[in-house]
Amino acid sequence: MSKYAPKLSELKKEFDEKPSVLKGDYSAQEWWDRPVEFRDGNWCFPGKQEVLADLGFANPRKWAATDEDWQLPADWQKTISDGLQSRLKKYRSLKLFLDACVRCGACADKCHFFLGTGDPKNMPVLRAELLRSVYRNDFPLVEKILKGFSGSRKLTKAVIKEWHMYFNQCTECRRCSVFCPFGIDTAEITMLVRELLNLIGVNNNWILAPVSNCNRTGNHLGIEPHTFVQNIMSLAEDIEDHTGVNVDPTFNRKGAEVLFITPSGDVFGDPGVYTMMGYLLLFKHIGLDYTISTYASEGGNFGMFTSNDMMKKLNAKMYHEAKRLGVKWILGGECGHMWRVVHQYMNTMNGPADFLEVPVSPITGTRFSNAAATKMVHIAEFTADLIHHKKLKLDPKRNDHLRTTFHDSCNVARGMGMFEEPRSILRNVCNSFHEMPEDTIREKTFCCGSGSGLNAEEYMDIRMRGGFPRANAVKQVKDRHKVNSLVTICAIDRASLPPLMNYWNPGVSVYGLHELVGNALVMQGEKKRTTDLRENPMAGFEDGGDDDE
Amino acid sequence: MGTQYVMKRGWTEFLEANKKAMLEQWLDCALALFPEKMGYSTPIAMVFSGALEKILSSLGKSENDCKEALDDVTRILAVQNFPPSKALSIFLEPKLILRDIMMKTTVADTLMQEAFNSRLDALTLEAFDSYMRHREKIYQLKVEEGSRRMYMALRRAEA
Ligand code: SF4
Ligand code: SF4
């Protein structure tokens, strides 16, 4: 049980003071009778027909959430009902989560979507209840046991619409589970409901198109191998222009010691590409024997937001490629859900990866026994270890133009329990680092509001609402400490936090952690640096300025 | 002429004496805009309470210095699920609140009330501008996000 879960006496107090839906104050109306209304800004475009066909997914058709008729397949009720039954058998956690909730309300105001919207159905307890109420109707014995709590309801088309609305206002961030006395993980309920919805063709193109691309070409944007190489080589040229150092990455090289896999956002998007430059400089700095695959060219795994089988398939690709190339282990870049998949599901789904070796840092000799099963090391652990052993030549003054704070990405923080490594790196590569308020960081971190495949442009309104608690915490350090840089270790964050900051906190830019590492690294044979990797001037390094190199 | 004078003279003291009560009522109205009334310790309530206080204080001054506070409030309202008419209705509430308080306190100064109301009207219009700026910003964000995502492709196209 979480150390943040409240005590019984506190729970009672919370319950008395908590919002009223839990106590059934809406006596004239069941809470679920409040209708959902789809309008611009609150729904994501549905999966395109060709994308669904490509994946062999159900019910390809042209439709929109604003349509009255969603053209569900004729037997949709049976599909959902059977789908739920089979999953209840397969995942004991699901059954437990559905049965165990006592509706204490401790989770009610912990969700960023509730805090950003005030919509009761965004309280985790009610979100789960959207499924639970149907489950109860389908499984009358449970209903009998739970009698006195609340009613059950029939599975209607209106329920499907409601599920689509509210299980897409959950970013699967798990913040609520930290506060639940039973550790109920609403994120897993969301994952399951989205999987059920996919069975009848109720879906989101922003999730399915990357899945399909990844399935075909190996990465979310569908970048083909030659373009993938071209992008990275062009970043390598930029590095040479800025620093005078040739980082010469290799691709698909058999027999390399390490396979490096990162989210493809680092290869094509701004500001991800600057993080990529940081990795490349780091690997050059330590002389790492590594290669990059143009086939396993994606660390992210949108399968996780689609179905268990899809997640498994996309995850397996990384391991197939590691085997094909004959590397010893895998080093993974800054990503969120890729790590949740690797940390929590990989070993059960595709493990053990016996053909790989337990990762050992070739520079420090550190054996990463925490990765003994998955054989995959997070770059923050890897770099923190390098710094700890004083293997990097760093000049943190090169980041003096940045006043930083750190955003814990949900999946890395709550999903795999990594809190200290990124902070230790940050403290060594820059001189100004200020934490956001305690109840908004580490295991209690607030989501960016766009996780789990919700960072579609058309969804901007919802994303801004859901991201508000995070942005508000950034604002506090901005006001108090003049913070101008939000550092993070997740590719979705690098894509979604810039608009979030631009809206709530203009003037705060978003950085990948290894971009700051890249700025600070003093490379052998480098030319005098006056700008950072973004070509922004570094404070105190202006031409003619004092460079203590 | 007259209104300005009255605002300066009586209003400052009146406001000092009643600000806390007005603010409490006003904040309650603002929080009740949401489907489930927002709790006082939520981030939205915190921002609202700080900003509404600044707005209220600025009503006592002849110079309008609450632009930032106004922005803080409308930035939240502009992305909510309710229409602008409902969102901006919170700027009409203080009129009623003031009237109630005046009735209770027997300070039935109509001139002061009028001055206050016309200040509020101006403020509501400003809030409308600010709300629209935030809506425009949302559209701008969508465009910018698209190009950031395609950064390398655009760079190649430009080269
Ligand atoms: S999910 Fe947990 S915290 Fe939330 S109401 Fe149920 S038992 Fe309480
Ligand atoms: S997992 Fe996160 S987004 Fe989903 S209900 Fe819990 S707190 Fe909200």
Side-chain angles (χ1 to χ4, degrees):
Chain A
M1 198 212 293
S2 156
K3 63 182 170 186
Y4 297 106
K7 295 184 187 62
L8 248 181
S9 55
E10 290 165 7
L11 279 179
K12 178 160 179 343
K13 187 166 166 282
E14 284 214 32
F15 186 77
D16 290 342
E17 290 166 3
K18 274 282 149 61
S20 50
V21 184
L22 293 171
K23 290 170 273 182
D25 279 3
Y26 293 80
S27 44
Q29 205 189 23
E30 292 290 1
W31 56 266
W32 59 65
D33 284 340
R34 302 168 145 206
V36 298
E37 191 191 336
F38 289 95
R39 62 163 89 103
D40 275 3
N42 78 3
W43 59 285
C44 294
F45 299 149
K48 291 195 176 128
Q49 280 160 288
E50 61 271 23
V51 168
L52 264 67
D54 195 28
L55 290 169
F57 274 28
N59 201 11
R61 70 205 181 284
K62 210 169 162 13
W63 70 287
T66 43
D67 294 347
E68 181 58 36
D69 178 9
W70 283 13
Q71 306 164 58
L72 302 181
D75 57 350
W76 68 269
Q77 263 162 316
K78 187 171 173 345
T79 307
I80 296 277
S81 213
D82 292 353
L84 179 57
Q85 293 219 28
S86 68
R87 282 162 183 80
L88 280 167
K89 279 198 201 106
K90 193 166 162 196
Y91 310 120
R92 284 179 51 209
S93 56
L94 175 67
K95 192 162 168 2
L96 201 72
F97 293 160
L98 287 180
D99 291 344
C101 173
V102 297
R103 264 171 261 166
C104 64
C107 61
D109 58 355
K110 303 301 186 289
C111 174
H112 51 287
F113 278 108
F114 175 69
L115 292 173
T117 62
D119 187 335
K121 287 181 192 169
N122 275 329
M123 296 173 187
V125 51
L126 283 202
R127 196 187 309 288
E129 202 62 23
L130 299 177
L131 173 66
R132 205 176 277 127
S133 52
V134 170
Y135 159 78
R136 231 176 262 133
N137 190 58
D138 265 20
F139 299 85
L141 185 64
V142 184
E143 188 190 358
K144 224 182 244 166
I145 296 167
L146 293 178
K147 217 168 168 187
F149 268 141
S150 102
S152 56
R153 59 173 175 170
K154 288 225 154 29
L155 184 58
T156 62
K157 286 184 181 170
V159 169
I160 296 297
K161 289 189 176 179
E162 188 183 51
W163 282 5
H164 190 51
M165 172 75 95
Y166 289 101
F167 288 106
N168 282 300
Q169 286 187 51
C170 166
T171 43
E172 306 179 0
C173 79
R174 302 181 81 194
R175 187 169 195 268
C176 49
S177 74
V178 171
F179 299 89
C180 173
F182 301 100
I184 291 175
D185 188 354
T186 310
E188 294 221 347
I189 296 183
T190 296
M191 287 164 78
L192 181 107
V193 174
R194 290 203 200 169
E195 185 169 324
L196 291 176
L197 288 174
N198 267 299
L199 298 177
I200 57 170
V202 175
N203 48 33
N204 166 352
N205 198 60
W206 179 250
I207 297 175
L208 290 186
V211 169
S212 157
N213 283 334
C214 205
N215 191 42
R216 196 181 56 250
T217 49
N219 57 65
H220 288 164
L221 214 68
I223 304 175
E224 286 165 358
H226 59 284
T227 313
F228 189 80
V229 170
Q230 217 177 40
N231 274 4
I232 294 178
M233 290 316 290
S234 138
L235 296 175
E237 277 165 31
D238 282 4
I239 292 175
E240 190 157 2
D241 288 349
H242 296 345
T243 67
V245 176
N246 177 4
V247 291
D248 58 345
T250 66
F251 299 91
N252 306 323
R253 179 166 58 86
K254 289 194 173 171
E257 182 172 357
V258 173
L259 169 62
F260 178 63
I261 300 180
T262 198
S264 62
D266 291 350
V267 179
F268 56 74
D270 171 5
V273 291
Y274 305 111
T275 307
M276 186 75 196
M277 290 163 123
Y279 305 141
L280 295 174
L281 278 165
L282 174 73
F283 300 155
K284 175 74 183 180
H285 190 86
I286 58 173
L288 186 69
D289 176 16
Y290 76 106
T291 194
I292 298 172
S293 165
T294 57
Y295 301 101
S297 51
E298 177 64 68
N301 187 337
F302 272 35
M304 182 182 169
F305 315 135
T306 311
S307 75
N308 219 327
D309 290 341
M310 214 25 159
M311 161 164 74
K312 179 176 167 164
K313 184 175 179 191
L314 297 183
N315 171 262
K317 172 193 67 179
M318 304 196 297
Y319 287 90
H320 289 160
E321 187 62 348
K323 194 172 190 177
R324 187 182 75 90
L325 294 174
V327 300
K328 290 187 180 157
W329 54 278
I330 307 174
L331 179 62
E334 296 181 12
C335 184
H337 60 274
M338 146 169 144
W339 285 105
R340 173 110 148 255
V341 174
V342 170
H343 186 76
Q344 294 193 328
Y345 306 110
M346 182 273 160
N347 201 31
T348 333
M349 289 186 310
N350 293 317
D354 287 339
F355 50 91
L356 296 174
E357 294 177 14
V358 176
V360 173
S361 169
I363 316 301
T364 65
T366 299
R367 191 168 183 274
F368 292 96
S369 47
N370 57 328
T374 62
K375 315 289 195 294
M376 190 155 173
V377 174
H378 192 294
I379 190 146
E381 289 172 301
F382 182 72
T383 305
D385 174 64
L386 289 169
I387 293 177
H388 179 74
H389 286 95
K390 306 207 175 350
K391 298 291 182 192
L392 302 184
K393 195 164 178 214
L394 296 164
D395 181 1
K397 288 210 296 296
R398 291 181 177 184
N399 282 314
D400 275 357
H401 56 310
L402 309 179
R403 299 182 60 84
T404 71
T405 190
F406 181 69
H407 164 68
D408 290 275
S409 313
C410 311
N411 283 311
V412 183
R414 276 188 292 269
M416 67 186 295
M418 184 187 289
F419 309 114
E420 295 313 324
E421 289 84 347
R423 288 179 165 80
S424 132
I425 297 173
L426 198 49
R427 286 197 186 94
N428 279 282
V429 298
C430 75
N431 290 318
S432 168
F433 165 44
H434 295 279
E435 291 275 19
M436 285 181 264
E438 198 266 327
D439 60 344
T440 73
I441 57 171
R442 299 177 197 262
E443 53 271 74
K444 289 186 269 182
T445 184
F446 274 119
C447 177
C448 62
S450 302
S452 78
L454 299 185
N455 51 330
E457 281 141 36
E458 68 272 16
Y459 214 46
M460 197 61 86
D461 283 45
I462 297 256
R463 291 168 51 192
M464 292 301 117
R465 284 177 218 164
F468 169 71
R470 168 40 77 224
N472 191 52
V474 174
K475 185 165 193 303
Q476 294 182 41
V477 279
K478 180 183 182 231
D479 292 348
R480 213 168 295 148
H481 304 290
K482 299 196 180 66
V483 160
N484 60 13
S485 308
L486 178 57
V487 180
T488 180
I489 50 170
C490 164
I492 295 215
D493 284 330
R494 283 193 284 281
S496 70
L497 290 173
L500 191 75
M501 288 304 111
N502 204 340
Y503 187 75
W504 297 104
N505 303 315
V508 176
S509 304
V510 176
Y511 289 81
L513 179 61
H514 277 77
E515 179 180 347
L516 270 69
V517 173
N519 284 342
L521 275 176
V522 178
M523 303 292 292
Q524 203 178 9
E526 70 177 13
K527 60 186 188 193
K528 187 169 167 356
R529 305 259 310 258
T530 55
T531 58
D532 66 8
L533 292 174
R534 296 185 186 192
E535 296 186 60
N536 289 333
M538 302 189 296
F541 290 82
E542 298 80 6
D543 271 332
D546 180 28
D547 186 348
D548 65 353
E549 250 320 287
Chain B
M1 33 147 268
T3 50
Q4 276 287 337
Y5 176 68
V6 174
M7 285 297 275
K8 267 187 200 150
R9 190 196 50 184
W11 173 238
T12 316
E13 296 100 71
F14 179 83
L15 187 66
E16 273 320 306
N18 294 288
K19 200 160 101 181
K20 195 163 167 284
M22 288 183 76
L23 192 63
E24 267 170 24
Q25 288 185 50
W26 196 12
L27 183 61
D28 271 343
C29 296
L31 297 179
L33 279 176
F34 295 85
E36 185 65 56
K37 190 182 169 212
M38 280 287 178
Y40 295 112
S41 58
T42 59
I44 285 187
M46 307 270 214
V47 173
F48 272 8
S49 111
L52 296 185
E53 179 177 3
K54 279 192 199 121
I55 295 172
L56 213 49
S57 306
S58 89
L59 287 172
K61 302 172 192 158
S62 48
E63 282 301 304
N64 183 1
D65 63 353
C66 64
K67 189 178 170 302
E68 210 178 303
L70 213 52
D71 275 346
D72 287 346
V73 174
T74 58
R75 196 180 286 116
I76 289 174
L77 296 175
V79 290
Q80 289 302 325
N81 205 19
F82 33 84
S85 55
K86 181 174 171 190
L88 296 175
S89 69
I90 65 163
F91 292 100
L92 305 177
E93 295 292 348
K95 287 186 185 175
L96 305 177
I97 296 170
L98 182 75
R99 194 193 55 195
D100 285 357
I101 290 182
M102 283 197 160
M103 270 156 66
K104 273 183 218 140
T105 51
T106 69
V107 190
D109 186 334
T110 38
L111 208 51
M112 186 199 289
Q113 203 172 343
E114 248 172 53
F116 176 74
N117 285 354
S118 63
R119 259 321 259 289
L120 261 185
D121 290 342
L123 201 80
T124 309
L125 295 175
E126 261 177 68
F128 182 73
D129 284 349
S130 166
Y131 183 99
M132 285 314 292
R133 269 200 303 279
H134 289 117
R135 285 311 307 165
E136 280 158 24
K137 183 82 174 251
I138 292 287
Y139 292 102
Q140 198 188 327
L141 293 179
K142 294 183 192 183
V143 175
E144 283 172 12
E145 179 162 79
S147 44
R148 244 198 313 272
R149 196 170 283 151
M150 304 294 293
Y151 175 71
M152 289 306 279
L154 293 171
R155 208 169 88 158
R156 263 199 312 279
E158 277 164 17

